[in-house]
């Protein structure tokens, strides 16, 4: 009975399927004596299509597989196949084929399809963050009018599910629902993506078994992205991701390999849930035996003797066998002292070296190192691509590789550094691409660059002197002076020649005004890296706000005795030159400048009334090898500066012992020296994944000393160019020409110096930096600092170890349009006599704009 029931059901379903797959006769169509029980062959003379306005009728005909002129049996398999072809597309809710009429042996068909609804819009429901929603939209790429099929809904569900699984939400529930869009004239639906992502799955315990040589905690440290979650390690999320575990496991083996256990392997790794949102990871290690280096022999070397290669390799018989050390000494030593560098810096681009284990006896491994030196490669062509703004000649003049020269890897590395230092290109995407031509022993090199914004606009308001200070500044760091009269080059200003032009104005009304203008040509004449800099400025300080003139009792116009002002007018011309000795990281810069000071009742300097002239010459010798201008990771920067005025008192015959203050400083005389040394050291060596940034800890250390000397004790120390220390170096507005402000975070501004400044200064800084983003559009890094410094009024009191100490943390944000912005919070540890509000463990916020002021 049961069999009969199922057989009957199967027969009914088969009849239904047959009815769907067959042609439907039109009620009103003349059949021309068509007998449906006897199929007859017809020639298709017409195919009419009935569908929505969004569907191409020709596409429907094409998908059906039936064309004009086809000979088909009616009824027959060809018609059934056409219906199936249209159903397979998944685009339609109903498909029918009508026989409209027949004329003789010609048949006229009508295909009627009812499309599935199209997408009107879609939205998220549930606990979906805006950033997550934006990222998911980019992955699913749904567009309006897309046909909503079962496949589409399944695709959306899978994409959203995978998105949250990759974030550690393994129990995410996704439900896709649709609702008809009643506002649309044709069938449209609104798709709702309902998300319940649940709790993130974290690692509870990481259990390691089988290890006797390396402690558990050392191996756990190697699992950089698969660490157990602990509340006291708030920076570690502890989330479990399968991809992270697969990436971290080889780090354990690498640790063993570095200790000579080259056969170490992970025999088993298991992940299991201990709670709904917690997993344990069990790892079992088979350590194997410890091995040592044995005899190392060289084969195929003719350029260098085996003894020379042994010296560079620097691996002795009996040392612990370490494959990573061997690879580093052969191929990729970060210090550049390896076998490959030795050859590639001498043109051997086609060089190849292959270490081969030839004998393993007991715990000792003998190696044969086979070398193919090849021919020295000559550089054929140098090309540049990606520079949409910077002119080619600006890039080519910084390139150290030249056609006709021997290929040298060190020249390519140096070129990358020089192009990065320009500040016009994204250093993370600056890529040299060598293309060897073994047939003729040449190589073509293409430098791929990506432009980044380099111009800066400063439009800000600050607080200084109890008043609001407004600033407007424009800095064009890739300017083109020669195109300034070509209107077609203005977009918005002529650019591309690597020149620097800046203009800046700062004021708070009648109390303070400052204007300056500067221009730098880095390649004067265009053939050598000799720079020319020209600048001019005007500053005016009015501490009382009084007008310049007033009227006396008789109504006459006279100078206002209550006015307290200082005016400064100045300008400079400088010339810079790159040096080749001791090495080509050295440069020298000389400058001649003139500053004119006019003071009236201005009590902030020894010279309160009168005027002063400052003619000085400056020479600055620097060695700068840092690898990037915004976030350096390696390199150093040394600077030795001397600044001198003529020694007027030694030849003008003036009696300075009885001269007034205004007479004594009519022509200022001084000799000023500064020395700074700065180092950047990358402490970690984390490699970047594909499409990601390599974020590593960087240590910055710096020391600086400054001395303001005199020629004549009777004249004394100049009232200008003295050092003022404390704070961030910014307090609204300052006279940056008449004084040198040195920052020391953790203390209030200028609190560590006497009111008139001091002639001696020392400062020490240490910062630990970590990048949050290395994107050139917004470079962000955090830092912790410890620094110390002091100034001294008398030479005999100078003690470079008698300093005021501070520590704290901060944030730096570099925006191309605004430069480097900084916010620090520091604690000053030492007592400041007469200033109870500074130091003594009290904290201070500091805001900085641009690089730290003061060259120390």
């Amino acid at each position: 009975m049961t069999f009969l029931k199922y057989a009957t059901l199967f027969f009914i379903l088969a009849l239904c399927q047959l009815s769907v797959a067959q042609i439907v006769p039109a009620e009103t169509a003349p059949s021309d004596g068509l007998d449906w029980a006897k199929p007859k062959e017809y020639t298709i003379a017409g195919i009419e299509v009935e569908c929505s306005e969004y569907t191409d009728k020709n596409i429907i005909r094409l998908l059906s597989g039936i064309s004009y002129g086809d000979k088909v049996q009616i009824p027959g398999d060809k018609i059934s196949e056409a219906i199936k072809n249209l159903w397979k597309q998944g685009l339609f809710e109903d498909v029918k084929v009508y026989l409209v009429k027949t004329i003789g042996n010609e048949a006229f068909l009508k295909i009627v399809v009812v499309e599935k609804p199209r997408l009107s819009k879609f939205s998220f429901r549930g606990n979906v963050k805006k950033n997550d929603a934006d990222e998911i939209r980019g992955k699913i790429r749904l567009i309006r009018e897309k046909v909503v099929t079962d496949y589409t809904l399944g695709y959306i569900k899978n994409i959203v599910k995978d998105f949250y699984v990759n974030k550690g939400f393994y129990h995410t529930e996704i439900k896709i629902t649709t609702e008809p869009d009643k506002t649309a004239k044709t069938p449209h639906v609104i798709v709702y993506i309902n998300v319940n992502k649940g709790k993130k799955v974290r690692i509870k315990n990481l259990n390691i078994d089988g290890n006797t040589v390396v402690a558990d905690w050392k191996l756990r440290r190697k699992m950089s992205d698969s660490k157990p979650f602990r509340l006291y390690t708030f920076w570690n999320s502890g989330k479990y991701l399968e991809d992270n575990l697969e990436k971290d496991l080889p780090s354990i083996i690498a640790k063993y390999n570095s200790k000579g256990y080259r056969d170490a392997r992970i025999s088993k790794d298991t992940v299991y849930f201990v709670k709904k949102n917690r997993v344990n990871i069990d790892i079992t290690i088979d350590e194997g035996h410890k091995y040592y280096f044995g005899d190392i022999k060289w084969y195929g070397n003719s350029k260098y003797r085996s003894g020379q290669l042994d010296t560079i390799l620097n691996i002795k018989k009996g040392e612990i066998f370490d494959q990573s050390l061997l690879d580093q000494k052969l191929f990729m030593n970060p210090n550049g002292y390896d076998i490959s560098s030795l050859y590639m810096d001498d043109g051997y681009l086609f060089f190849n070296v292959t270490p081969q284990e030839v004998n393993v006896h007991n715990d000792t491994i003998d190696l044969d190192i086979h070398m193919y030196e090849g021919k020295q490669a000559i550089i054929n062509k140098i090309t540049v691509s990606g520079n949409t703004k910077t002119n080619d000649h600006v890039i080519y003049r910084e390139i150290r590789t030249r056609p006709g020269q021997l290929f040298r890897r060190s020249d390519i590395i140096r070129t990358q550094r020089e192009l990065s230092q320009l500040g016009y290109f994204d250093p993370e995407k600056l890529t040299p691409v060598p293309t060897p031509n073994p047939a003729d022993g040449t190589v073509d090199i293409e430098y791929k660059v990506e432009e980044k914004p380099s111009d800066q606009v400063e439009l800000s308001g600050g607080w200084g002197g109890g008043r609001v200070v407004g600033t407007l500044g424009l800095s064009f760091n890739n300017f083109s002076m020669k195109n300034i009269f070509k209107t077609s080059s203005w977009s918005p200003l002529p650019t591309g020649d690597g020149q620097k032009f800046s203009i800046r104005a700062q004021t708070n009304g009648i109390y303070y005004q400052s204007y300056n203008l500067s221009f730098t040509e880095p390649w004067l004449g265009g053939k050598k890296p000799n720079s020319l800099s020209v600048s001019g400025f005007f500053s005016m300080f009015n501490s009382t706000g009084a007008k310049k003139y007033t009227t006396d009792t008789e109504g006459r116009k006279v100078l206002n005795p209550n006015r307290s002002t200082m005016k400064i007018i100045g300008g400079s011309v400088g010339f810079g030159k790159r040096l080749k000795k001791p090495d080509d990281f050295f440069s020298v810069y000389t400058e001649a400048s003139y500053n004119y000071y006019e003071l009236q009742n201005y009590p902030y300097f020894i010279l309160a009334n009168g005027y002063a002239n400052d003619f000085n010459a400056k020479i600055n010798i620097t060695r700068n090898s840092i690898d990037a201008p915004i976030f350096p990771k390696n390199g150093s920067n040394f600077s030795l500066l001397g600044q001198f005025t003529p020694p007027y008192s030694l030849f003008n015959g003036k009696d300075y012992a009885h001269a007034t203050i205004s007479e004594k400083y009519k022509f200022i005389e001084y000799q000023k020296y500064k020395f700074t040394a700065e180092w950047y050291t990358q402490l970690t060596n984390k490699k970047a994944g594909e499409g990601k940034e390599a974020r590593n800890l960087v240590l910055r250390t710096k020391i600086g000393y400054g001395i303001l000397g005199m020629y004549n004790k009777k004249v004394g120390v100049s009232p200008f160019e003295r050092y003022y220390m404390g704070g961030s170096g910014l307090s609204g507005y300052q006279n940056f020409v008449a004084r040198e402000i040195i920052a020391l975070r953790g203390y209030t501004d200028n609190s560590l110096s006497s009111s008139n400044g001091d002639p001696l200064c020392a400062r020490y800084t240490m910062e630990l930096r970590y990048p949050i983003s290395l994107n050139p559009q917004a470079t962000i890094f955090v830092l912790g600092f410890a620094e110390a410094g002091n100034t001294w009024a008398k030479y005999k009191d100078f003690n470079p170890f008698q300093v005021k100490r501070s520590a704290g943390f901060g944030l730096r944000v570099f925006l191309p349009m605004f430069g480097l912005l900084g916010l620090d919070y520091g604690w000053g540890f030492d007592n400041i006599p007469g200033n109870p509000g500074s130091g003594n463990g009290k904290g201070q916020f500091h805001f900085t704009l641009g690089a730290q002021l003061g060259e120390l």
Side-chain angles (χ1 to χ4, degrees):
M1 189 67 180
T2 305
F3 171 77
L4 183 60
K5 192 183 295 183
Y6 281 117
T8 304
L9 179 62
F10 175 78
F11 181 72
I12 294 171
L13 291 174
L15 287 176
C16 292
Q17 177 64 28
L18 182 63
S19 68
V20 171
Q22 288 296 328
I23 190 167
V24 180
E27 294 180 3
T28 59
S31 60
D32 197 21
L34 177 66
D35 185 353
W36 290 93
K38 296 179 181 180
K40 181 181 178 181
E41 186 176 81
Y42 289 90
T43 301
I44 303 300
I47 304 174
E48 182 184 354
V49 176
E50 182 179 309
C51 59
S52 74
E53 60 180 299
Y54 296 104
T55 306
D56 190 327
K57 295 181 179 181
N58 290 324
I59 295 294
I60 298 295
R61 295 186 183 98
L62 181 64
L63 292 175
S64 71
I66 299 177
S67 303
Y68 296 109
D70 286 354
K71 296 184 181 299
V72 299
Q73 293 281 338
I74 298 179
D77 294 338
K78 187 73 173 178
I79 302 299
S80 300
E81 192 66 31
I83 295 174
K84 290 178 183 178
N85 287 340
L86 293 171
W87 274 116
K88 284 192 298 186
Q89 306 307 315
L91 302 175
F92 310 110
E93 288 188 339
D94 191 18
V95 177
K96 292 180 181 179
V97 177
Y98 291 95
L99 175 62
V100 179
K101 63 182 178 180
T102 59
I103 302 176
N105 290 329
E106 294 183 339
F108 295 83
L109 303 180
K110 181 179 182 180
I111 301 175
V112 179
V113 294
V114 178
E115 292 92 338
K116 289 188 175 182
R118 294 177 178 268
L119 179 67
S120 176
K121 60 182 178 180
F122 72 96
S123 62
F124 295 90
R125 288 176 174 176
N127 51 345
V128 180
K129 296 180 180 178
K130 183 180 182 302
N131 290 341
D132 289 349
D134 292 341
E135 193 170 344
I136 293 172
R137 285 190 181 95
K139 291 179 178 292
I140 59 180
R141 297 179 181 176
L142 285 181
I143 58 174
R144 184 176 173 85
E145 301 302 333
K146 180 180 178 67
V147 176
V148 179
T149 65
D150 293 338
Y151 172 81
T152 303
L153 300 179
Y155 172 78
I156 295 172
K157 185 174 182 178
N158 292 336
I159 290 292
V160 177
K161 177 76 173 178
D162 290 344
F163 175 81
Y164 282 105
V165 167
N166 290 334
K167 286 181 171 288
F169 296 95
Y170 281 82
H171 302 298
T172 301
E173 297 177 356
I174 310 295
K175 185 178 180 181
I176 310 295
T177 59
T178 61
E179 290 182 5
D181 187 354
K182 298 179 181 179
T183 63
K185 296 180 180 179
T186 56
H188 280 69
V189 294
I190 302 172
V191 175
Y192 293 102
I193 305 172
N194 303 276
V195 179
N196 179 14
K197 62 184 181 182
K199 291 186 178 180
K200 184 177 290 186
V201 175
R202 303 180 189 274
I203 301 170
K204 182 177 182 181
N205 292 310
L206 177 59
N207 305 313
I208 302 176
D209 188 33
N211 55 312
T212 59
V213 177
V214 185
D216 287 2
W217 67 271
K218 290 184 178 180
L219 295 178
R220 289 193 185 101
R221 285 182 59 185
K222 292 296 177 180
M223 305 284 285
S224 57
D225 293 319
S226 301
K227 296 181 183 294
F229 174 69
R230 298 291 184 266
L231 290 175
Y232 52 82
T233 55
F234 59 88
W235 59 87
N236 168 40
S237 67
K239 67 180 178 182
Y240 168 69
L241 293 178
E242 186 176 345
D243 290 344
N244 286 350
L245 180 60
E246 291 181 3
K247 183 181 67 175
D248 285 340
L249 288 177
S251 300
I252 292 180
I253 302 304
K255 179 67 175 178
Y256 272 96
N257 291 161
S258 68
K259 292 183 171 294
Y261 292 84
R262 69 160 195 165
D263 297 332
R265 66 187 183 91
I266 294 175
S267 58
K268 184 173 67 173
D269 62 275
T270 307
V271 181
Y272 54 94
F273 281 91
V274 292
K275 292 168 61 176
K276 187 174 181 179
N277 62 331
R278 290 291 186 273
V279 296
N280 279 357
I281 301 176
D282 294 345
I283 298 173
T284 303
I285 299 173
D286 181 4
E287 295 180 329
H289 299 288
K290 190 173 186 178
Y291 291 88
Y292 301 87
F293 283 106
D295 294 325
I296 300 177
K297 297 180 181 179
W298 302 88
Y299 294 92
N301 54 306
S302 59
K303 175 69 175 178
Y304 299 101
R305 300 190 311 273
S306 296
Q308 292 175 286
L309 299 178
D310 286 336
T311 301
I312 294 175
L313 190 67
N314 195 27
I315 295 177
K316 308 297 182 184
K317 183 178 181 179
E319 289 185 9
I320 294 173
F321 183 85
D322 182 355
Q323 184 66 46
S324 63
L325 175 65
L326 177 64
D327 292 342
Q328 188 181 88
K329 293 298 184 71
L330 289 176
F331 306 109
M332 49 183 180
N333 193 333
N335 298 323
Y337 198 61
D338 56 68
I339 300 298
S340 293
S341 295
L342 177 69
Y343 276 88
M344 288 194 176
D345 279 347
D346 199 18
Y348 290 90
L349 174 63
F350 310 107
F351 162 83
N352 186 33
V353 57
T354 305
Q356 193 173 55
E357 295 181 9
V358 293
N359 189 19
V360 180
H361 48 97
N362 297 325
D363 59 357
T364 303
I365 300 174
D366 295 334
L367 296 172
D368 285 352
I369 301 180
H370 296 270
M371 305 176 64
Y372 171 73
E373 294 180 335
K375 297 189 298 183
Q376 289 176 301
I378 302 297
I379 298 174
N380 181 32
K381 289 192 301 183
I382 301 293
T383 56
V384 175
S385 64
N387 52 316
T388 57
K389 178 180 176 181
T390 306
N391 293 326
D392 286 350
H393 74 272
V394 175
I395 302 175
Y396 281 120
R397 68 193 186 190
E398 301 292 344
I399 292 177
R400 299 301 179 96
T401 52
R402 295 280 190 269
Q405 291 180 346
L406 279 177
F407 173 87
R408 298 183 190 276
R409 188 170 72 174
S410 58
D411 288 342
I412 291 183
I413 295 173
R414 182 62 185 276
T415 297
Q416 286 180 279
R417 186 256 178 195
E418 296 300 327
L419 294 179
S420 177
Q421 287 291 104
L422 289 175
Y424 309 149
F425 311 113
D426 181 355
E428 302 295 318
K429 297 181 180 178
L430 202 160
T431 309
V433 183
T435 304
N437 306 305
D440 58 4
T442 63
V443 58
D444 298 331
I445 304 175
E446 178 187 13
Y447 291 95
K448 294 184 177 181
V449 299
E450 183 175 307
E451 299 266 10
K452 68 174 186 178
S454 57
D455 299 330
Q456 296 177 9
V457 177
E458 182 185 354
L459 180 60
S460 62
W463 186 260
R467 301 173 184 89
V468 175
V469 180
T471 303
L472 175 62
L474 301 173
S475 296
F476 303 98
N477 296 313
N478 195 359
F479 191 67
S480 176
M481 181 63 75
K482 72 177 183 181
N483 292 323
I484 198 167
F485 297 111
K486 294 182 181 179
T487 55
S488 60
S489 300
W490 286 65
S491 58
L493 284 174
T495 60
D497 282 342
Q499 299 163 339
K500 296 182 180 180
F501 175 71
S502 68
I503 183 170
R504 189 171 186 266
Q506 190 177 49
T507 183
N508 69 351
I510 62 174
Y511 295 95
Y512 167 66
Q513 297 177 36
S514 179
Y515 310 94
N516 59 63
L517 183 75
S518 66
F519 173 79
T520 300
E521 167 56 73
W523 282 66
L524 185 63
K527 295 183 178 180
K528 293 184 178 181
N530 301 327
S531 65
L532 175 67
S533 299
V534 181
S535 66
F537 70 93
F538 168 78
S539 295
M540 189 274 290
F541 298 83
N542 185 349
S543 59
T544 61
K547 294 182 179 181
K548 182 175 182 179
Y549 296 101
T550 186
T551 54
D552 59 13
T553 56
E554 298 180 1
R556 292 175 298 181
K557 187 176 181 181
V558 296
L559 287 174
N560 190 341
N562 298 320
R563 182 177 168 89
S564 174
T565 62
M566 178 175 69
K567 293 181 181 178
I568 313 170
I569 300 175
S572 66
V573 177
F575 179 78
K577 179 179 178 63
R578 293 186 195 175
L579 304 178
K580 295 183 178 180
K581 294 182 179 180
D583 62 35
D584 57 4
F585 287 110
F586 278 86
S587 63
V588 60
Y589 177 77
T590 57
E591 181 182 276
S593 62
Y594 169 71
N595 300 319
Y596 173 78
Y597 302 95
E598 183 180 315
L599 302 95
Q600 178 186 349
N601 300 325
Y602 202 73
Y604 303 103
F605 294 95
I606 297 175
L607 176 64
N609 287 280
Y611 64 91
N613 297 276
D614 177 8
F615 293 93
N616 68 80
K618 180 188 299 182
I619 181 169
N620 188 12
I621 300 174
T622 62
R623 185 187 187 275
N624 186 349
S625 63
I626 63 175
D627 59 349
I630 305 302
F631 187 79
K633 304 180 187 71
N634 294 289
S636 59
N637 188 9
F638 296 88
S639 174
L640 178 62
L641 180 143
Q643 187 173 343
F644 312 94
T645 65
Y648 303 106
S649 63
L650 301 183
F651 56 75
N652 62 8
K654 186 181 293 185
D655 183 6
Y656 284 91
H658 299 92
T660 63
I661 293 293
S662 59
E663 291 176 341
K664 185 183 295 186
Y665 297 121
K666 183 176 181 180
F667 288 92
I668 301 170
E669 63 176 37
Y670 59 85
Q671 47 184 323
K672 188 175 186 179
Y673 307 93
K674 288 187 290 187
F675 171 76
T676 60
E678 184 178 29
W679 297 267
Y680 292 90
T681 307
Q682 184 172 304
L683 301 181
T684 59
N685 193 30
K686 187 175 181 180
K687 303 298 182 182
E690 185 176 353
K692 296 183 178 180
E693 302 168 342
R695 300 176 184 175
N696 289 289
L697 280 172
V698 175
L699 178 66
R700 171 184 178 254
T701 51
K702 186 176 183 179
I703 61 173
Y705 300 98
I707 301 174
L708 181 63
M710 54 183 149
Y711 297 112
N712 190 332
K713 289 184 178 181
K714 295 180 180 180
V715 177
V717 178
S718 166
F720 306 116
E721 295 292 337
R722 297 187 181 192
Y723 299 104
Y724 296 76
M725 177 175 283
S728 61
L730 285 174
S731 59
Y733 60 87
Q734 294 284 356
N735 176 13
F736 300 130
V737 178
R739 61 182 72 181
E740 183 163 344
I741 300 171
I742 308 298
L744 193 72
R745 293 162 287 188
Y747 297 91
T748 55
D749 291 338
N750 304 335
S751 60
L752 302 183
S753 306
S754 58
S755 59
N756 292 321
D758 295 319
L760 298 168
C761 179
R763 182 170 178 260
Y764 313 93
T765 303
M766 180 179 292
E767 289 182 352
L768 189 63
R769 299 177 166 190
Y770 183 77
I772 303 300
S773 169
L774 294 175
N775 188 327
Q777 303 295 330
T779 304
I780 304 171
F781 61 91
V782 293
L783 59 88
F785 67 85
E787 57 187 4
N790 206 355
T791 62
W792 294 267
K794 298 180 180 179
Y795 298 114
K796 65 178 182 180
D797 295 334
F798 176 73
N799 182 349
F801 303 107
Q802 183 186 359
V803 291
K804 307 300 182 184
R805 302 158 299 161
S806 68
F809 56 89
L811 172 73
R812 295 290 182 273
V813 178
F814 177 81
L815 301 174
M817 290 296 290
F818 298 99
L820 189 64
L821 310 176
L823 181 65
D824 296 307
Y825 189 84
W827 291 270
F829 299 136
D830 295 294
N831 178 45
I832 307 300
N835 192 345
S838 184
N840 283 323
K842 295 182 176 65
Q844 298 278 340
F845 274 108
H846 302 284
F847 175 75
T848 58
L849 180 64
Q852 199 80 318
L853 294 182
E855 296 180 4
L856 300 185

